[in-house]
Amino acid sequence: MSGRDGDPRTFTYFVGIGLGHSLSPPLHDFVSYSLDLGWKFKVEECARVEDAIRLFREPTFAGGVITMPYKTAIMEHLDGLDEYCVKIGACNNVYRAVDGSLLGSNTDWCGVEACLATASSNGKGKPALIVGAGGAARAAIYALHERLNCNPIYVVNRDKGEVDALLLDTKSYGPNLSLVHLDTLTMARDVSQALSPFYIVGCVPDFKPQSAEELEGWEILTYFLQTTTQKGVLLDLCYKPRRTRLIQMGDQYNWHVIEGIMVVGRQVQEQYRLWCGEDIANKISLEEAWKVLQKAAENSRAINF
């Protein structure tokens, strides 16, 4: 098996831990076939970040998608990082430069931006809210603030230390960014209707709240979803299960909800732009690619429960 015109590149990869629910293989295999690239997409569980790098250093490597827990750890093993990777502080995409070096990028942000803006442009320039303070939250903040001009951005997260780290890491976004940690229901109630969030982005795994901090965070979310006069857009990056608790609650209060699988589809063109160039990536039939992804989601027992 070989790539197009004797190109040694043969495989694209999805690396991380806990990847059994991934919907990426049929999507990427369809794109590769439609572009006549001859690349096969492989899901690789890697016990160590070094195992992923070993795959990427092979001459057959064509491109890589990185997920938890290696979005930060992989950066020090690469030959270079682009501006998105540096500013967001997380890497979810690795590609090979013309000189053979391995470079890191971040395309999560463009998936978030496209999902929100396509659903409604009314949230541009308005307040937003994110749930979580990890790597996905950083990409969401970049999309919300740098691309959609949202301000302030409220943060709901059970761990104050993680929020402190998030505040520190996003200082590079400029002095105009206002991140507000809402850790009590009282603080949420003090937010006026005019400053209620229009975009809400979930950046944590789906779990039943149990600790006092988690229960408080859930009450804050419930408050905004229930009382905000202008119902906005709720995107949950988690899609295991497909209908997360957050998605179900957004439906309950008549918000426009977007499942996490949409983020996968919304960044595929940017991923291939890095892997094989803009001219080839522009030939992707996004409508057909979305149909493949949607079918994979509907047929997946791993996320429909």
Side-chain angles (χ1 to χ4, degrees):
M1 184 177 182
S2 63
R4 183 179 59 178
D5 299 329
D7 188 336
R9 294 178 297 173
T10 306
F11 300 112
T12 50
Y13 293 95
F14 185 36
V15 301
I17 294 177
L19 310 180
H21 67 291
S22 174
L23 302 175
S24 296
L27 171 66
H28 283 279
D29 284 347
F30 166 80
V31 171
S32 173
Y33 176 82
S34 68
L35 296 177
D36 193 29
L37 291 170
W39 298 346
K40 180 68 178 175
F41 190 82
K42 299 180 71 174
V43 174
E44 292 283 348
E45 294 271 346
C46 294
R48 305 178 307 150
V49 67
E50 289 83 2
D51 297 331
I53 289 296
R54 178 181 53 79
L55 293 173
F56 295 172
R57 294 290 181 188
E58 293 291 334
T60 53
F61 170 77
V65 180
I66 299 89
T67 191
M68 298 302 291
Y70 302 134
K71 286 189 176 185
T72 300
I74 200 166
M75 293 166 65
E76 64 180 88
H77 296 275
L78 300 173
D79 302 318
L81 307 170
D82 73 7
E83 59 177 315
Y84 300 117
C85 198
V86 171
K87 196 161 192 178
I88 294 170
C91 172
N92 82 311
N93 193 291
V94 173
Y95 61 103
R96 190 186 299 280
V98 175
D99 64 3
S101 60
L102 289 182
L103 305 179
S105 185
N106 190 300
T107 61
D108 282 334
W109 67 267
C110 63
V112 174
E113 178 194 4
C115 283
L116 296 175
T118 302
S120 175
S121 61
N122 292 335
K124 293 182 178 180
K126 294 182 178 178
L129 183 149
I130 62 169
V131 185
R138 286 158 172 76
I141 291 172
Y142 182 86
L144 288 166
H145 181 68
E146 301 285 299
R147 307 291 299 186
L148 299 173
N149 300 315
C150 292
N151 220 32
I153 298 176
Y154 306 115
V155 182
V156 175
N157 189 67
R158 61 183 176 178
D159 189 312
K160 184 180 183 301
E162 291 178 349
V163 177
D164 290 340
L166 179 69
L167 294 172
L168 182 63
D169 291 346
T170 53
K171 280 186 175 181
S172 62
Y173 291 12
N176 295 327
L177 171 60
S178 175
L179 282 183
V180 181
H181 182 202
L182 298 179
D183 58 358
T184 67
L185 183 58
T186 300
M187 290 183 66
R189 285 174 172 163
D190 286 341
V191 174
S192 68
Q193 276 292 327
L195 291 177
S196 292
F198 185 90
Y199 292 136
I200 295 178
V201 183
C203 305
V204 296
D206 184 69
F207 59 85
K208 184 178 180 179
Q210 295 181 338
S211 70
E213 293 81 5
E214 291 166 355
L215 291 169
E216 188 82 7
W218 199 250
E219 288 187 3
I220 292 170
L221 286 170
T222 303
Y223 172 78
F224 281 123
L225 290 170
Q226 186 175 21
T227 64
T228 298
T229 303
Q230 185 182 14
K231 305 298 184 182
V233 179
L234 185 155
L235 166 66
D236 195 351
L237 301 187
C238 175
Y239 60 89
K240 182 183 181 181
R242 188 177 177 186
R243 299 284 298 172
T244 63
R245 291 174 175 84
L246 188 54
I247 288 289
Q248 292 180 50
M249 188 163 66
D251 263 341
Q252 179 183 348
Y253 294 113
N254 299 314
W255 282 60
H256 183 137
V257 301
I258 306 174
E259 298 175 355
I261 59 169
M262 288 288 289
V263 177
V264 177
R266 291 291 186 186
Q267 60 183 303
V268 68
Q269 190 168 50
E270 177 64 12
Q271 290 172 332
Y272 278 83
R273 185 188 70 78
L274 295 170
W275 295 347
C276 57
E278 191 165 356
D279 290 343
I280 295 177
N282 286 340
K283 296 178 182 178
I284 298 174
S285 172
L286 296 178
E287 182 178 352
E288 293 302 313
W290 169 243
K291 289 180 181 178
V292 171
L293 181 62
Q294 186 73 16
K295 183 178 180 181
E298 291 172 353
N299 293 336
S300 172
R301 293 183 179 180
I303 66 172
N304 292 292
F305 58 88

